[in-house]
Amino acid sequence: MEPVIIVLIILVVLVFIALIKTIQVIPQASAAIVERFGRYTRTLNAGLNIVVPFIDTIRNRIDLREQVVPFPPQPVITQDNLVVNIDTVIYYQVTDARAATYEVASYIQAIEQLTVTTLRNIIGGMDLERTLTSREEINAALRGVLDEATGKWGIRVNRVELKAIEPPTSIQDSMEKQMRADRDKRAAILQAEGVRQSEILRAEGEKQSQILRAEGEAKAAALRAEGEAQAVRTVFEAIHAGDPDQKLLSYQYLQMLPKIAEGDANKLWIVPSEIGDALKGLSGAMGNFGGMGGGSGSGNGGASVPAQERREKPSID
């Protein structure tokens, strides 16, 4: 009985192994390459698949999702003989599992080497300044070359990105100094423009202020002249309305003489010729006033003042 039990156990184990070999479950977004006696038979897609045990073998399982592969920095020489280190990142996806398995030994290594050689060809035709400012152009050119070369491998390159472009340390120091000088230059230009604009605004303000001040002074002078003219007209009308005689005019004329002589700057006083007429008119008025007083005094027995006792007026040279 024991040999029979052992045989049964062996048969159960073989059947279990055969079932495991027969049923193959492939995850989503994956594929498997099946070979029969070392030759490609078919590609297993996602889901439950049945294969012939001990005859069919699964050689490779491939992830069909988009993959991201960063490559280490690669030294590249520019057109102006400067060495720059460039980091690249490749976004690719396997579209044909059979081609990716049999057309190339290692598609990751092949993509890396193709990226390095293509970068050297592209950067070799650019100077450093263009290299630093033409990332989109380099990405597009690199992607076009990689997509064309990897198509027969069953690989589709979706994106190529330059992660970093590192020039030599001395070039970085020079670029930093240049950028600092450019910033200082722009700051000086902006400051000069601000000062110029401030001066322009200040000059315009002063101009407007002077214009307004001049207009105000002109209006004030016009109003002052108009007031003086009105005052002269009023005085003239009052004089004509009062009908003054020669005696009143002579008296007013004598009252204005002290005002003419006022001031320390008046070293020379010129007496106008009309002063004699004024004095004659005033003396005539005083004589009439004295005659009126003498008549009343003679009635009271008073004596008149002799002409010799009158004070002589000083002559004015």
Side-chain angles (χ1 to χ4, degrees):
M1 294 294 294
E2 292 182 359
V4 175
I5 295 173
I6 293 174
V7 172
L8 290 175
I9 293 174
I10 293 174
L11 290 176
V12 170
V13 172
L14 290 175
V15 170
F16 182 74
I17 294 174
L19 289 174
I20 293 176
K21 293 287 186 178
T22 302
I23 300 174
Q24 295 292 332
V25 178
I26 305 301
Q28 183 67 32
S30 298
I33 302 299
V34 178
E35 293 180 349
R36 180 172 294 177
F37 300 113
R39 185 177 181 179
Y40 171 76
T41 302
R42 61 195 174 103
T43 300
L44 301 181
N45 296 320
L48 183 64
N49 296 273
I50 304 298
V51 297
V52 179
F54 305 107
I55 297 177
D56 294 339
T57 57
I58 295 179
R59 175 177 176 176
N60 193 13
R61 295 176 182 269
I62 298 177
D63 194 347
L64 301 179
R65 295 174 296 178
E66 186 175 7
Q67 304 292 323
V68 181
V69 179
F71 295 143
Q74 299 294 331
V76 182
I77 300 177
T78 61
Q79 188 178 10
D80 47 358
N81 297 324
L82 294 175
V83 179
V84 295
N85 294 323
I86 300 180
D87 297 350
T88 55
V89 179
I90 305 296
Y91 296 81
Y92 73 92
Q93 186 176 9
V94 178
T95 58
D96 189 353
R98 177 183 175 278
T101 303
Y102 295 104
E103 294 295 334
V104 63
S106 175
Y107 55 83
I108 297 296
Q109 186 177 1
I111 292 174
E112 181 179 1
Q113 296 302 320
L114 183 60
T115 301
V116 172
T117 56
T118 306
L119 269 178
R120 288 176 180 174
N121 292 332
I122 296 174
I123 302 300
M126 299 181 177
D127 55 7
L128 179 61
E129 184 177 359
R130 185 181 174 189
T131 301
L132 295 175
T133 57
S134 303
R135 291 197 177 192
E136 294 297 331
E137 181 181 353
I138 298 172
N139 292 340
L142 187 59
R143 180 182 177 277
V145 174
L146 290 177
D147 196 18
E148 182 180 359
T150 58
K152 63 180 181 179
W153 300 339
I155 306 295
R156 182 177 69 245
V157 178
N158 296 326
R159 294 183 63 185
V160 180
E161 295 292 340
L162 298 184
K163 187 177 180 180
I165 301 177
E166 297 180 358
T169 306
S170 59
I171 300 300
Q172 291 181 5
D173 296 338
S174 300
M175 292 172 61
E176 184 178 357
K177 292 179 181 179
Q178 182 180 1
M179 288 187 294
R180 188 182 301 112
D182 291 339
R183 287 194 296 268
D184 294 340
K185 178 181 177 181
R186 288 195 297 268
I189 292 174
L190 292 176
Q191 184 177 1
E193 289 180 353
V195 172
R196 182 173 67 89
Q197 189 66 23
S198 175
E199 293 295 335
I200 291 174
L201 293 176
R202 186 180 297 109
E204 290 180 354
E206 292 178 356
K207 176 183 177 182
Q208 190 67 23
S209 176
Q210 292 177 0
I211 291 174
L212 295 177
R213 189 180 301 111
E215 291 178 353
E217 291 177 356
K219 291 181 180 179
L223 293 175
R224 192 180 303 111
E226 184 178 357
E228 292 177 356
Q230 184 65 31
V232 170
R233 284 195 297 269
T234 303
V235 173
F236 186 76
E237 291 176 357
I239 291 174
H240 281 274
D243 192 14
D245 54 359
Q246 185 63 29
K247 301 175 182 179
L248 179 61
L249 294 177
S250 300
Y251 179 73
Q252 293 292 332
Y253 190 81
L254 290 175
Q255 281 186 336
M256 291 300 297
L257 289 178
K259 294 183 179 180
I260 296 176
E262 287 180 355
D264 298 334
N266 295 329
K267 302 299 183 180
L268 181 62
W269 186 19
I270 299 174
V271 178
S273 60
E274 291 82 358
I275 187 68
D277 298 335
L279 290 175
K280 290 179 181 179
L282 183 61
S283 60
M286 293 298 293
N288 293 332
F289 181 76
M292 292 175 62
S296 60
S298 61
N300 294 329
S304 61
V305 181
Q308 293 80 7
E309 294 181 1
R310 296 178 183 174
R311 186 180 358 181
E312 296 181 357
K313 295 181 181 179
S315 62
I316 301 175
D317 296 331

